[in-house]
Amino acid sequence: MFIRLYVKYIGMMAGLLHTLAKLLMFVILKDAQSAINKKDWVNITHQHICALTGSSVVMPCSLIPPAGQTVTKVFWVIYPKEGVEPPDLYGNPSYTGRVQYYWDKNTNKNNCTLKLTGVKGTDSSEYKVRIIAKGHNNKWLSHGVGLSVTGLTVQVPDSVVEGCDVKMSCRNNCTWKSKPTVIWRKDGTDLPPDRIKNSELLFTSVRKDDEGNYSCALKGHEGHPSKPRKLIVMFSPKNISVSFSPAGETLEGASVTLTCSSDANPPVENYTWFKVNESTAVGSGQQYSITNIRSEDGGQYYCEARNKYGAENSTAVLITVVGMGIPLL
C-alpha cells in the first residue's frame, strides 16, 4: 500500500515538474521573442553624434512595427527614470521651437527621425525614442543616441616675439569622417586661404601688425565661429622720437625739457640720453631737463629706448641757445 502511494506521488510530481518546465520554456520564449520584437521596432543608425554649437542635428531613425502592432504615438525623451513616464522632448521648455519630428501616423509612419536646431552645450545628453502602440502596456524605449555638443577653440601662444614663426590651431572635440574646411578671421575679417594649411593659420616671421583677435569657423557654419583669442606680439622699441619744450630757440638761462616717445611691447624699461659727439650719457628717464641753459649746452641730442628684446635710438634734435643780448643805454 505504501509503495503504491509513493509511486503515485512520484508520478504526480513528475507531471507537475513537466508542466512547470513547459510553462517556464513558454515564458522564456515569449520574453525572448518580446525582446527581439522590441529591438526590431526601431532602427537607429548613429549611436553617437558630435555637433557644433549652433548647428542643426539630425538623428536618423526608422520604425518597423511587428505584425499585428499598431503604433499610435512616437516621440523622443531624455533622462528617462525607472517607473516614471518620460515627458515628450517637444514639450520641454529648453527645447521650445527647436524640435522637429518626422513621424506621422498617417503619412510618415515609419520615419521616427528627430531634428534639433540651434544646438547648445546643455543639449549634450542621451536621446531615446518612446513608442506607444495599441494594447495594454504596449510602451517601449529604444536604445539611446548620445549627443555631444562642442564649440570651436582657437589655440594661440600666450605671446610671440616679432620675427618668429607662429602656428595657430582651430580645435574641437568632434571626430569628422572628412576633414572640414576651416575659415580664419582677424578682428572679424576673413583671411586669405593662402595663409591656411591643414586647417592651421601660419605666420612666417610674425610682425607687430599681425597682432589682433583671431577666430575660426567651419565652412558651411560661418555663423558659429569660435570665441576670438588675441595674438600678442612682443617687439623691441621702434618709432623712437624726441620732442622738446619750449619749441624753437632757447634763451640762455632758461630751461628746456626733452621727451622721448616710442612703441614697444613690453614697454620700454630704460631711456638713456646722449649728446652727439660726447662719449657718455648725459641723462636717463623718459624726460631729460636742462635748467639755466648755457650756450655750450646747445647741440644735438638723442635718446636710446630699451626693453628686454632690444634697443633703438631716435634721430637727433637740435637745441639752439641764443644769448640774452646787451641792453642799450
Side-chain angles (χ1 to χ4, degrees), residues 8 15 76-77 94 137 161 172 192 206 213 227 256 263 269 301:
K8 185 176 180 181
W76 287 73
V77 302
S94 299
N137 202 30
V161 179
N172 67 83
V206 69
N213 293 298
K227 290 183 178 180
V256 64
D263 185 14
E269 299 169 357
Y301 291 82

Side-chain angles (χ1 to χ4, degrees), residues 41-45 58-65 71 73-76 100-115 129-131:
W41 275 75
V42 177
N43 179 26
I44 294 179
T45 56
V58 175
M59 301 182 188
C61 171
S62 57
L63 194 61
I64 311 171
V71 176
K73 189 174 183 180
V74 173
F75 58 94
W76 287 73
Q100 179 183 348
Y101 293 152
Y102 287 39
W103 182 83
D104 182 274
K105 65 180 179 180
N106 297 317
T107 60
N108 209 14
K109 61 183 179 180
N110 293 326
N111 191 343
C112 48
T113 298
L114 165 67
K115 181 178 181 179
V129 180
R130 183 66 160 169
I131 306 163

Side-chain angles (χ1 to χ4, degrees), residues 43-50 60 125-127 143-147:
N43 179 26
I44 294 179
T45 56
H46 298 77
Q47 303 303 308
H48 185 265
I49 296 174
C50 189
S125 182
E126 185 179 42
Y127 293 74
H143 56 274
V145 179
L147 174 63

Side-chain angles (χ1 to χ4, degrees), residues 7 62 114 122 130 184 212 219 249 269 290 294 305 312:
V7 171
S62 57
L114 165 67
T122 52
R130 183 66 160 169
W184 284 91
K219 191 174 181 64
E249 296 178 338
E269 299 169 357
I290 307 173
R294 297 171 297 172
E312 185 174 324

